[in-house]
Amino acid sequence: MAGYLLKNCAAVVVDDGKGPTARRNVDVLTDGPVMRAIGDNLAELELPANTITRDASGWFVYPGLVNTHHHFFQTFVRNRADLDWTKLSVIEWLDLIYPVFSRLNEDCFYHSSVTAMAELIKHGCTTAFDHQYCFPRHAGKRLIDRQFEAAELLGMRFHAGRGGNTLPKSEGSTIPDAMLETTDEFIADCARLIDTYHDDSPFSMRQVVVAPCQPVNSYRETFVESVALARDRGVRMHTHVGEGESPVIAARHGMRTVDYCAELGFAGPDAFYAHCWELSHDELAKMAADGTGVSHCPEPVYLVGAEVTDIPAMQALGLRIGIGCDGAASNDNSNLMHCVHSAYMLQCLAASGRKHPVPVPVDFLGYATTGGAALLGRADIGRLAPGMAADLFAIDTRRMDYVGTRHDPLSLIAKVGIGMATDMTMINGQIVWENGEFIGLDEKRLFAEAEAALATVNF
């Protein structure tokens, strides 16, 4: 692998483990998958013969973003006004949309993953966790295998959440029969994927997370067996919690979702939940005490229209926080950088009614970098420092869009927002996107293939 020397960067957001700072007019040196140095006049060092130099004048360089919750397959269910949920509860909306999901075939899962990952990369995301819980029987069991194939094509660092649903509609779930699995089926395929793909070595490009979709649509035993498998294999656990289902769980089990998951062991430093917007202060405190993390997905909050997730309270309690796009059925884009801006602006909207102040803008960048890395159990990604993975993106700020903003690189993404693709995205030391193109790939061909796969589905 080549190394890269990015010369004379206007600013680099670095973090030696004590928090981010912006260093001005410095160089960045990578060597294969590793960050080697950030400093002045690195060209004067004895560089490896295969080092490629880039003039980075005007560039702001950031650590690659880490997406901690998504549903890639939903990119094929975008811009559907007929599936609007603004007048529905989450449970009612799931009843409406799951039959649509159940029509997707294997090729749809592959091409929708390419579509989602491509958009993520264009906007600075270098590590993506996807929660793939949709397994229509006609589509087969190799859907996550195809996702790993898509990630390899694009060069994405990919954490696959093997989801699943086991409770039939006849017992109170929202899942069509065509999407149901047994607990044994689900656990067996989780184990197969861990054995086949999971790599916990430094700079790993492939990991697997045991991720039953949600307690409201699964048997108790599904979660119990998930905990047993995850702890036996040393992998992470993930599910949906606190997005409108707590009253249903309370009616079924005599307790709300946070207590239910904790009772089953589906909690702790190796677990993280998506959403959590409806949780009480006591429930958040319980999660903070046991180390369970939160993937905050800000943009679905627009559609829910009821509660803005209390990020200030979560931060005050010491909860581990990451940011996710969520699926395109509730967020019609896969732009994590935009989600960082949305997360900050939503907290500003709700600030007057909150006990704790809105965290400073740079903290929201932190949720999407070091915070996300921590949720995924990664100590090798999420910040720019020697020895870390060479995951980064660059924005050329010599544009009218950035006049008046360049004095504060740390706040730029959360406070101002970035309205265009990055000028360069690097993953594991390889440039995968630069100057509006995917390196070595024909975007028009990828588009045509995805559109053809979408056309095979009768929505």
Side-chain angles (χ1 to χ4, degrees):
M1 284 180 64
Y4 290 90
L5 176 63
L6 308 181
K7 284 184 57 63
N8 196 33
C9 304
V12 180
V13 174
V14 301
D15 186 345
D16 63 1
K18 299 177 183 177
T21 59
R23 294 191 60 183
R24 298 282 189 170
N25 304 314
V26 293
D27 302 338
V28 172
L29 178 64
T30 71
D31 184 3
V34 185
M35 297 288 303
R36 284 300 181 207
I38 302 169
D40 299 326
N41 303 315
L42 297 184
E44 297 176 2
L45 300 176
E46 184 175 343
L47 303 179
N50 63 348
T51 300
I52 298 169
T53 299
R54 290 279 195 276
D55 178 11
S57 300
W59 286 13
F60 283 8
V61 179
Y62 291 90
L65 305 181
V66 180
N67 186 22
T68 55
H69 187 72
H70 210 319
H71 308 298
F72 290 169
F73 73 87
Q74 292 181 10
T75 58
F76 274 16
V77 191
R78 286 196 282 185
N79 198 24
R80 293 287 301 269
D82 55 313
L83 297 176
D84 172 63
W85 71 332
T86 57
K87 296 179 176 63
L88 303 175
S89 72
V90 172
I91 302 300
E92 291 169 332
W93 176 73
L94 292 177
D95 271 326
L96 174 69
I97 204 164
Y98 270 127
V100 177
F101 296 161
S102 70
R103 299 170 197 169
L104 297 172
N105 57 48
E106 181 184 308
D107 279 349
C108 289
F109 287 93
Y110 170 76
H111 289 288
S112 61
S113 296
V114 173
T115 301
M117 290 186 208
E119 187 174 357
L120 286 164
I121 287 169
K122 286 184 179 187
H123 299 283
C125 180
T126 55
T127 300
F129 167 81
D130 186 57
H131 192 189
Q132 203 321 76
Y133 60 79
C134 182
F135 282 83
R137 289 197 189 101
H138 65 264
K141 295 294 190 191
R142 297 192 62 79
L143 306 184
I144 287 179
D145 303 74
R146 299 300 305 278
Q147 290 192 296
F148 278 117
E149 183 183 332
E152 185 172 4
L153 174 74
L154 291 165
M156 171 66 83
R157 196 183 299 279
F158 181 49
H159 286 230
R162 205 310 186 174
N165 296 285
T166 59
L167 188 74
K169 284 182 78 75
S170 62
E171 296 185 38
S173 85
T174 60
I175 304 301
D177 287 346
M179 280 175 56
L180 276 180
E181 297 181 287
T182 67
T183 294
D184 287 346
E185 279 182 285
F186 168 66
I187 294 297
D189 201 48
C190 287
R192 177 187 70 84
L193 291 165
I194 294 167
D195 291 343
T196 305
Y197 296 105
H198 187 75
D199 174 12
D200 60 5
S201 64
F203 311 131
S204 161
M205 297 292 286
R206 291 177 166 181
Q207 294 200 9
V208 176
V209 177
V210 178
C213 183
Q214 53 202 144
V216 75
N217 284 329
S218 293
Y219 285 115
R220 177 188 182 95
E221 69 183 27
T222 306
F223 276 74
V224 171
E225 293 300 320
S226 294
V227 172
L229 177 65
R231 297 258 160 84
D232 178 63
R233 302 297 182 89
V235 302
R236 300 268 146 169
M237 300 180 291
H238 179 70
T239 193
H240 294 89
V241 168
E243 57 167 348
E245 86 297 326
S246 288
V248 177
I249 295 297
R252 285 184 194 167
H253 302 290
M255 64 188 81
R256 283 165 56 92
T257 316
V258 169
D259 287 336
Y260 176 68
C261 286
E263 182 183 79
L264 302 181
F266 205 99
D270 56 354
F272 63 107
Y273 304 154
H275 302 305
C276 301
W277 66 61
E278 69 172 3
L279 301 186
S280 70
H281 188 273
D282 287 347
E283 288 169 329
L284 295 177
K286 182 181 183 69
M287 290 171 58
D290 64 26
T292 306
V294 174
S295 176
H296 170 46
C297 301
E299 302 207 339
V301 173
Y302 297 132
L303 295 180
V304 174
E307 300 171 68
V308 175
T309 314
D310 197 345
I311 297 299
M314 291 181 180
Q315 179 154 303
L317 287 165
L319 263 167
R320 299 182 301 119
I321 303 170
I323 290 184
C325 288
D326 201 21
S330 54
N331 173 13
D332 289 72
N333 67 68
S334 297
N335 184 339
L336 189 64
M337 196 176 328
H338 190 269
C339 291
V340 174
H341 178 56
S342 290
Y344 174 71
M345 296 303 290
L346 278 168
Q347 296 306 316
C348 294
L349 174 69
S352 63
R354 292 276 162 81
K355 176 181 178 181
H356 301 284
V358 176
V360 294
V362 68
D363 286 351
F364 290 81
L365 176 62
Y367 303 149
T369 52
T370 53
L375 292 190
L376 297 179
R378 301 293 296 257
D380 53 348
I381 64 172
R383 57 189 178 90
L384 298 183
M388 299 293 290
D391 290 3
L392 56 86
F393 67 90
I395 298 165
D396 189 339
T397 58
R398 295 172 298 183
R399 296 183 172 103
M400 297 303 292
D401 308 61
Y402 304 109
V403 172
T405 72
R406 299 174 78 247
H407 62 95
D408 186 2
L410 297 175
S411 299
L412 179 64
I413 292 172
K415 189 165 177 59
V416 178
I418 305 297
M420 62 189 72
T422 69
D423 289 277
M424 186 263 278
T425 302
M426 176 186 290
I427 303 176
N428 210 43
Q430 293 188 329
I431 296 175
V432 296
W433 166 262
E434 188 175 29
N435 298 327
E437 295 183 345
F438 290 102
I439 306 304
L441 297 174
D442 180 348
E443 185 172 358
K444 289 183 179 178
R445 179 180 63 81
L446 297 178
F447 161 80
E449 291 172 349
E451 285 278 297
L454 177 57
T456 66
V457 183
N458 180 17
F459 287 134

